Amino acid sequence: MNTLFALVLSIGMTDGSYQDVVVDVYDSFSQCRSAAAEQRVDGECYPIDDIIQGDDQRPAIEHIEF
């Protein structure tokens, strides 16, 4: 399976903190960089596997007890 890339912007908040925001996800690094240039944003392209941690996650299930 190919690695997907996310275009990520760091947004400065009024309290001085920063929040990372995923703008979109692309099939390749070059598509991600092209999108950043086209949108004229100073974002970074990261492999999805580096920004989404799911190793300790379990699927959501609903337990209904009667």
Side-chain angles (χ1 to χ4, degrees):
M1 180 160 63
N2 291 338
T3 300
L4 297 173
F5 289 85
L7 177 56
V8 179
L9 296 179
S10 291
I11 307 296
M13 309 304 246
T14 57
D15 66 358
S17 66
Y18 288 85
Q19 180 73 40
D20 290 335
V21 178
V22 174
V23 175
D24 208 343
V25 176
Y26 301 92
D27 291 327
S28 69
F29 181 78
S30 61
Q31 286 179 343
C32 184
R33 293 304 309 154
S34 293
E38 182 179 309
Q39 296 175 41
R40 297 180 182 185
V41 295
D42 188 22
E44 295 293 330
C45 293
Y46 297 109
I48 290 290
D49 296 339
D50 289 352
I51 63 171
I52 298 176
Q53 304 298 321
D55 295 338
D56 63 340
Q57 303 295 314
R58 290 182 270 161
I61 58 172
E62 183 176 324
H63 287 307
I64 301 174
E65 296 183 27
F66 295 99

